[in-house]
């Protein structure tokens, strides 16, 4: 679970920071920077699992490599981009070799800087300029104080006293003045150093076992982030038997039938739960199932309506398939991390918006249940008045709310860049404030009041069910 992010030098972000709730909704007009936040998260996930150039060129990343660095009014671009993320990781982690480890410090902060450099042959290179992973001091953990109950201490507090306070990954200069990135083992015994300007991947991405458990836990957290951009044509397709049973639904909805069949084999009641949940939304249906079609070598999803007529996924509407996907994710125990969903209202009738938002909210972790083992989280971006209205009502009328509504805007900024002054349109995401006493270092009281007034005006003009 990501709880805080800071970004500079990436696309429209400069000195940007933001806290996340278990369920966070970012509203705003087109071109206000909503999608850029998802692009930043997608890049971080890639940098945690692969080399730098591959991460910058991965599927779903919008723009060429040079276009991902911030552009200024004089035509120049940032030479460096920096990120910081604070996370709450799962207490127990398992690597690909079956080794298990219990994490002592689940609250961790990871910092990363990527720099553009030119080789002696005039070729632009991307290098890791700085990397750090450290514990978050519990006495200064404002996010935990706000969102985690006393009953959930075992989720985030250290369980063993003592140990070093030194970062698990750190960047420092060696005796020759060269920047060196060091990774240490939790036991203080062993570790390794890497010269920063000679490596083409993050230290985080190089760890594949629980020999460095806290580093591995953060890598696993970032690697498991999901980015949904559901394609109705892909959702309608049956899953091929030859591919095997999938753990999770693909970003475009691929393997939905395969995931459902695995769930059915592991626990037949899970498909009953999926069926009951979907049919509570869509009263015209009474059951959902998935079958193995040996003749055609596929897994096929079927729905039965109240008249007993059966339909396959090939003829289902986009809205029905989208709601089905969310129901499957809700009851899929393999889904346990962050879900980023861009414009979830697409294909959903306005009368189903409330149900869809409530389902997304249910997908997020509920910290009032101290025994809940899954640190699920949902971040949505939207320009739907219907979605914003529903989330706005959640924030206004629910005490100890685990929901955050943010409003995204682009604002002109002027600042000094070495020997010149430049401008850029920088993204700001301001909470639609439900708590006047809440202190936010990146948002002034005036900004919050203006933001609340703007959103209230949009909702007033939007009308019931308007998109």
């Amino acid at each position: 679970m990501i709880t805080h992010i800071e970004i500079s030098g990436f696309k429209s972000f400069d000195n940007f920071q933001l806290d996340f709730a278990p369920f966070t909704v970012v509203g705003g007009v087109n071109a206000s920077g909503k999608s850029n936040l998802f692009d930043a998260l997608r890049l971080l996930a890639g940098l945690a699992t692969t080399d730098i150039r591959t991460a910058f060129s991965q599927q779903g990343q919008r723009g060429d490599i040079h276009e991902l660095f911030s552009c200024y009014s004089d035509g120049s671009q940032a030479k460096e981009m920096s990120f910081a993320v604070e996370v709450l990781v799962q207490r127990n982690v398992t690597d690909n070799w079956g080794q298990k480890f219990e994490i002592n410090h689940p609250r961790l902060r990871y910092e990363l800087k990527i720099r553009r450099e030119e080789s002696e042959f005039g070729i632009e290179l991307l290098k890791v300029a700085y990397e750090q992973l450290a514990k978050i001091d519990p006495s200064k953990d404002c996010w935990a104080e706000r969102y985690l109950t006393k009953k959930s201490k075992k989720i985030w507090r250290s369980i063993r006293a003592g140990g070093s306070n030194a970062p698990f990954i750190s960047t420092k200069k060696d005796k020759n003045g060269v920047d060196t990135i060091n990774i240490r083992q939790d036991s203080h015994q062993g570790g390794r150093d890497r010269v920063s300007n000679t490596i083409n991947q993050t230290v985080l991405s190089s760890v594949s076992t629980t020999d460095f458990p806290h580093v591995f836990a953060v890598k696993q957290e970032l690697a498991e982030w999901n980015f949904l951009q559901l394609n109705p044509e892909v959702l309608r397709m049956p899953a091929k038997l030859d591919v095997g049973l999938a753990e999770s639904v693909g970003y475009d909805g691929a393997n939905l039938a395969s995931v459902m069949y695995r769930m059915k084999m592991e626990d037949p009641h899970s498909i009953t739960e999926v069926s009951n949940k979907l049919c509570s939304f869509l009263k015209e249906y009474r059951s959902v199932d998935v079958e193995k079609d040996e003749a055609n070598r596929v897994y096929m999803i079927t729905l039965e309506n109240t008249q007993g007529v059966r339909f396959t996924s090939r003829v289902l509407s986009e809205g029905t398939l989208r709601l089905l996907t969310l129901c499957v994710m809700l009851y899929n125990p393999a889904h346990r991390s962050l879900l980023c969903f861009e414009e979830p209202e697409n294909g959903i009738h306005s009368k189903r918006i409330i149900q869809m938002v409530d389902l997304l909210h249910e997908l997020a972790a509920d910290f009032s249940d101290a025994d809940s083992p899954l640190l699920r989280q949902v971040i949505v971006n939207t320009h739907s008045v219907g979605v914003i209205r529903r989330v706005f009502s959640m924030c206004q009328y629910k005490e100890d709310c685990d929901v955050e509504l943010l409003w995204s805007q682009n604002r002109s900024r002027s600042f000094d860049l070495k020997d010149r002054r430049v401008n850029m349109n920088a993204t700001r995401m301001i909470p639609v404030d439900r708590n006047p006493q809440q202190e936010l270092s990146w948002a002034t009281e005036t900004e919050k009041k203006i933001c609340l007034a703007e959103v209230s005006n949009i909702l007033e003009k939007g009308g019931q069910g308007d998109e």
Side-chain angles (χ1 to χ4, degrees):
M1 177 176 287
I2 180 172
T3 62
H4 178 80
I5 192 168
E6 298 168 16
I7 314 172
S8 280
F10 176 82
K11 288 197 168 182
S12 61
F13 297 115
D14 179 74
N15 290 322
F16 173 88
Q17 57 179 311
L18 188 65
D19 281 346
F20 295 99
F23 181 36
T24 301
V25 176
V26 182
V29 299
N30 290 334
S32 62
K34 303 188 305 295
S35 296
N36 287 349
L37 176 62
F38 281 10
D39 289 343
L41 294 172
R42 186 180 288 107
L43 178 59
L44 280 167
L47 289 167
T49 55
T50 187
D51 65 272
I52 298 174
R53 191 158 289 273
T54 300
F56 272 74
S57 306
Q58 65 189 313
Q59 186 177 26
Q61 190 64 263
R62 299 174 305 138
D64 293 333
I65 291 177
H66 73 278
E67 293 176 299
L68 302 185
F69 287 83
S70 296
C71 297
Y72 304 126
S73 56
D74 64 354
S76 64
Q77 288 182 286
K79 291 292 186 182
E80 184 177 275
M81 62 174 65
S82 63
F83 304 92
V85 290
E86 295 178 2
V87 294
L88 172 64
V89 299
Q90 299 283 347
R91 178 71 75 176
N92 298 296
V93 295
T94 304
D95 63 24
N96 291 337
W97 286 266
Q99 297 181 85
K100 298 181 179 180
F101 195 91
E102 185 177 46
I103 298 299
N104 191 35
H105 308 287
R107 291 288 285 134
L108 296 158
R109 178 181 172 91
Y110 177 64
E111 299 177 12
L112 177 67
K113 294 180 181 179
I114 303 295
R115 183 177 297 149
R116 299 163 55 207
E117 296 181 355
E118 192 173 285
S119 73
E120 58 182 315
F121 305 108
I123 299 173
E124 187 169 82
L125 305 174
L126 299 177
K127 297 293 183 181
V128 178
Y130 179 88
E131 195 171 1
Q132 178 167 294
L133 176 65
K135 308 171 192 175
I136 296 175
D137 185 343
S139 66
K140 300 177 182 178
D141 197 341
C142 298
W143 185 91
E145 183 179 345
R146 179 182 177 190
Y147 288 107
L148 302 181
T149 64
K150 292 181 180 179
K151 292 182 180 179
S152 60
K153 279 188 176 181
K154 63 180 181 180
I155 295 176
W156 69 284
R157 296 300 294 264
S158 300
I159 55 178
R160 296 181 296 276
S164 172
N165 287 321
F168 299 105
I169 301 175
S170 59
T171 302
K172 56 187 178 182
K173 294 188 182 297
D174 65 12
K175 60 183 180 180
N176 297 317
V178 177
D179 287 333
T180 303
I181 300 176
N182 171 265
I183 179 172
R184 75 168 179 89
Q185 290 184 321
D186 291 22
S187 62
H188 308 280
Q189 298 174 2
R192 56 177 185 252
D193 293 328
R194 295 287 186 271
V195 176
S196 66
N197 65 3
T198 63
I199 59 177
N200 63 0
Q201 70 180 90
T202 63
V203 169
L204 189 74
S205 68
S206 70
V207 174
S208 58
T209 71
T210 54
D211 292 342
F212 301 93
H214 286 83
V215 179
F216 180 79
V218 173
K219 173 185 177 174
Q220 187 178 67
E221 163 64 27
L222 273 61
E224 290 181 346
W225 289 351
N226 297 280
F227 300 87
L228 278 192
Q229 290 183 309
L230 297 178
N231 182 333
E233 295 307 314
V234 174
L235 287 169
R236 292 187 181 103
M237 293 173 59
K240 295 181 179 179
L241 266 64
D242 297 338
V243 177
L245 294 177
E247 288 289 308
S248 58
V249 179
Y251 78 96
D252 56 358
N255 301 316
L256 177 61
S258 175
V259 172
M260 290 180 64
Y261 197 81
R262 176 188 55 76
M263 292 168 60
K264 183 178 180 178
M265 293 299 99
E266 293 176 351
D267 179 10
H269 184 62
S270 65
I271 296 301
T272 302
E273 291 180 310
V274 170
S275 180
N276 291 341
K277 177 64 74 173
L278 182 68
C279 296
S280 70
F281 299 146
L282 307 176
K283 302 298 184 182
E284 61 269 32
Y285 295 107
R286 68 183 184 190
S287 69
V288 178
D289 202 359
V290 59
E291 301 170 351
K292 180 191 286 188
D293 182 347
E294 291 283 8
N296 295 302
R297 304 290 297 165
V298 296
Y299 301 110
M300 178 64 71
I301 298 169
T302 60
L303 271 74
E304 184 176 323
N305 69 10
T306 53
Q307 285 76 45
V309 179
R310 300 185 73 190
F311 303 90
T312 70
S313 58
R314 290 192 179 98
V315 298
L316 296 178
S317 70
E318 180 180 352
T320 298
L321 290 165
R322 281 174 168 261
L323 288 173
L324 174 60
T325 302
L326 295 179
C327 291
V328 169
M329 297 185 80
L330 178 63
Y331 293 107
N332 179 13
H335 170 58
R336 60 178 193 171
S337 188
L338 169 64
L339 170 64
C340 294
F341 201 173
E342 191 157 8
E343 298 180 0
E345 66 273 9
N346 289 344
I348 301 290
H349 192 277
S350 59
K351 292 182 178 179
R352 306 284 190 202
I353 289 292
I354 290 178
Q355 296 167 324
M356 185 268 296
V357 174
D358 290 350
L359 183 53
L360 286 167
H361 183 207
E362 194 175 351
L363 258 167
D366 179 5
F367 289 118
S368 64
D369 178 8
D371 296 324
S372 176
L374 299 178
L375 299 180
R376 288 176 170 176
Q377 184 177 23
V378 178
I379 303 175
V380 164
N381 73 34
T382 182
H383 51 67
S384 163
V385 175
V387 172
I388 294 169
R389 175 179 290 109
R390 181 57 177 170
V391 178
F392 185 80
S393 67
M394 288 179 177
C395 293
Q396 293 297 312
Y397 301 115
K398 184 178 178 182
E399 293 183 1
D400 301 322
C401 190
D402 56 356
V403 180
E404 188 73 84
L405 176 60
L406 304 156
W407 192 247
S408 182
Q409 296 175 321
N410 271 335
R411 298 181 182 178
S412 180
R413 285 196 70 241
S414 298
F415 52 93
D416 292 321
L417 190 66
K418 291 187 177 180
D419 58 346
R420 65 192 188 281
R421 192 160 185 81
V422 297
N423 298 317
M424 71 172 287
N425 287 325
T427 297
R428 298 270 287 169
M429 294 181 181
I430 308 298
V432 180
D433 194 11
R434 67 175 189 278
N435 181 1
Q437 282 72 46
Q438 179 188 343
E439 294 184 4
L440 296 171
S441 59
W442 73 92
T444 66
E445 290 302 318
T446 299
E447 285 180 314
K448 289 189 286 183
K449 289 178 181 178
I450 292 174
C451 179
L452 178 59
E454 183 173 341
V455 172
S456 298
N457 185 50
I458 289 171
L459 295 179
E460 184 178 337
K461 291 181 176 179
Q464 291 295 325
D466 235 344
E467 294 308 303

